[in-house]
Amino acid sequence: MSFLVDKDGYYGDFGGAYIPEILHKCVEELQNTYLDVLQSEDFKREYDRLLRDYVGRPSPLYRAHRLSRKYGCKIYLKREDLNHTGAHKINNTIGQILLARRMGKRRIIAETGAGQHGVATATVCALMDMECVIYMGKTDVERQHINVEKIKMLGATVVPVTGGNMTLKDATNEAIRDWCCHPSDTFYIIGSTVGPHPYPDMVSRLQSVISEEIKKQLAEQEGRHCPDYLIACVGGGSNAAGTIYHYINDNRVKIVLAEAGGKGTDTGMTAATIALGKQGIIHGARTYVIQNEDGQIEEPYSISAGLDYPGIGPMHANLAAQKRAIVLSVNDDEAVRAAYELTRLEGIIPALESAHALGALGKISFKPDDVVVLTVSGRGDKDIETYLDFEK
């Protein structure tokens, strides 16, 4: 069985494109265009050049010696926090804006939660001289103030969204409404492996540079291409998709996905979609969704602005359904504790999202010769106030 997307945009029972009629032409144009562009030699040349010279790739695969001793195995950290803009998001936005330009689009919209995708989108729009509008929940605008100011400094417009819980789901809703109003000239750069086909596949392909590099770097450092474990956090799931892409059909590699448990999966204050979700439609795709008995979407909660999403990328929903991935819920306090642990042991302050992946380490029994690769998806500068408030 292949765990990658099929020709109709599905991962097993999950995926597809459930969209309003007004967006049908836009999405169909994207479906008919994206693979031809992404696989063309001129795109690959320009994309690879920008990843190297602008983003600073390859990102290091760092052997974390003190962390390894703590957990009794060999832990390597894939350092996406060292990319330009401070996270993995730029891998995707550079690819999508090159596609948008080839499709003749001049206006870019995006949603953002933690602000990293917003910063990455505003960055590439500045680079390519394109108009940029970023939708961000008002709650996230307040807790991610520095990223909001970066987005504005880069010349983009930030629209605070006041509907619902005023977080990532609501920002996505507003971005889709904007797209419906401007279907001909606007390109929607979705930040994760969510949304209607082809977005989950396109974002996965653009992020797959992560696992492509892991294979080469592990071969250099360990004399083998594949680790025993791959660990990544999941909200929508883009850094996880990139981490596992080239290993997804290799059963020698155990995949561990860490989702946001919030205050606990039994508290109602959680974003543990795979643990609690039922099949439903959200933002154009069939996947697991946190919902009540009437099928209404429940408001998620997480200390991490990038993980409080009530859905999950369809690739990850299928991995969980097929038991290909081990899915662990990591609560707020476990994530914060793991962040401080990495900071004190290795001198690396991780983003709150990445801290959830680190929080999974204590929930797994490793053998001394296990090789573990964990993706640090972003740096923690944006979360310092949240860390300090939590410690109080």
Side-chain angles (χ1 to χ4, degrees):
M1 171 188 284
S2 172
F3 292 98
L4 296 173
V5 74
D6 69 17
K7 63 181 176 53
D8 298 314
Y10 282 88
Y11 300 82
D13 295 333
F14 305 95
Y18 299 82
I19 49 172
E21 186 64 33
I22 195 167
L23 289 179
H24 188 270
K25 187 179 175 188
C26 294
V27 172
E28 188 176 50
E29 181 189 17
L30 198 54
Q31 289 171 351
N32 292 337
T33 306
Y34 85 108
L35 278 181
D36 286 344
V37 172
L38 264 56
Q39 292 171 348
S40 68
E41 288 307 315
D42 72 308
F43 173 89
K44 286 195 271 195
R45 264 194 309 275
E46 189 172 12
Y47 181 59
D48 291 346
R49 178 180 59 78
L50 285 167
L51 287 182
R52 184 188 69 236
D53 299 339
Y54 189 69
V55 177
R57 301 201 73 92
S59 65
L61 187 69
Y62 166 68
R63 173 80 180 272
H65 289 279
R66 295 185 69 198
L67 197 67
S68 297
R69 281 200 295 275
K70 168 81 192 282
Y71 290 101
C73 58
K74 292 182 185 175
I75 297 175
Y76 286 89
L77 303 177
K78 184 58 171 159
R79 298 290 308 278
E80 294 300 294
D81 58 311
L82 295 179
N83 293 336
H84 178 44
T85 73
H88 68 293
K89 295 291 188 182
I90 191 92
N91 305 328
N92 170 48
T93 60
I94 280 185
Q96 285 203 52
I97 204 160
L98 292 178
L99 173 60
R101 197 175 64 184
R102 281 162 171 77
M103 292 175 70
K105 307 295 184 182
R106 294 299 310 161
R107 180 175 179 270
I108 302 296
I109 58 172
E111 85 299 330
T112 196
Q116 286 303 125
H117 177 58
V119 169
T121 302
T123 296
V124 296
C125 286
L127 183 67
M128 300 289 175
D129 188 25
M130 288 204 194
E131 181 188 347
C132 181
V133 179
I134 306 292
Y135 290 91
M136 191 171 189
K138 186 169 176 285
T139 302
D140 294 336
V141 168
E142 289 163 1
R143 62 180 171 176
Q144 299 291 345
H145 173 70
I146 289 173
N147 273 345
V148 172
E149 294 308 315
K150 284 182 184 175
I151 293 167
K152 291 177 181 174
M153 190 173 178
L154 286 158
T157 302
V158 178
V159 180
V161 176
T162 55
N165 211 30
M166 300 187 286
T167 56
L168 182 56
K169 167 181 72 71
D170 314 295
T172 307
N173 290 343
E174 285 303 315
I176 290 171
R177 286 190 189 102
D178 181 313
W179 200 17
C180 288
C181 295
H182 307 91
S184 59
D185 67 333
T186 295
F187 190 100
Y188 181 9
I189 296 185
I190 291 183
S192 198
T193 50
V194 299
H197 176 65
Y199 280 104
D201 183 50
M202 177 165 60
V203 176
S204 298
R205 286 170 183 268
L206 293 172
Q207 291 292 359
S208 72
V209 64
I210 299 172
S211 57
E212 190 178 319
E213 289 176 5
I214 290 170
K215 290 189 93 156
K216 291 177 188 164
Q217 291 167 323
L218 260 191
E220 289 167 6
Q221 297 194 52
E222 286 289 330
R224 53 189 277 193
H225 288 96
C226 67
D228 297 292
Y229 289 87
L230 286 169
I231 304 177
C233 64
V234 285
S238 60
N239 93 90
T243 301
I244 68 178
Y245 193 86
H246 287 95
Y247 296 104
I248 200 165
N249 293 317
D250 186 343
N251 288 322
R252 295 172 297 175
V253 182
K254 296 180 183 71
I255 294 169
V256 179
L257 305 176
E259 59 179 358
K263 297 193 183 299
T265 55
D266 56 350
T267 65
M269 297 281 287
T270 184
T273 305
I274 297 173
L276 299 175
K278 300 190 287 284
Q279 278 201 37
I281 309 290
I282 185 169
H283 299 139
R286 174 177 291 281
T287 186
Y288 288 130
V289 185
I290 301 176
Q291 51 192 302
N292 63 21
E293 283 98 35
D294 300 322
Q296 296 300 308
I297 295 170
E298 296 272 310
E299 296 293 351
Y301 162 80
S302 168
I303 193 172
S304 157
L307 299 182
D308 61 354
Y309 184 64
I312 187 80
M315 171 197 279
H316 304 302
N318 186 50
L319 292 175
Q322 301 297 334
K323 305 287 192 288
R324 174 67 183 97
I326 302 160
V327 183
L328 301 173
S329 295
V330 176
N331 295 350
D332 290 352
D333 56 343
E334 294 170 326
V336 172
R337 192 160 59 241
Y340 273 86
E341 180 177 84
L342 182 69
T343 304
R344 301 280 164 79
L345 290 179
E346 299 288 349
I348 298 166
I349 303 174
L352 266 166
E353 292 75 27
S354 313
H356 285 72
L358 292 156
L361 288 169
K363 299 172 184 279
I364 304 166
S365 297
F366 297 112
K367 300 192 295 292
D369 60 347
D370 280 340
V371 173
V372 179
V373 175
L374 184 150
T375 295
V376 179
S377 57
R379 69 179 75 124
D381 308 31
K382 68 184 178 60
D383 297 313
I384 296 300
E385 287 178 14
T386 307
Y387 283 135
L388 296 177
D389 287 345
F390 192 89
E391 285 301 288
K392 286 174 196 168

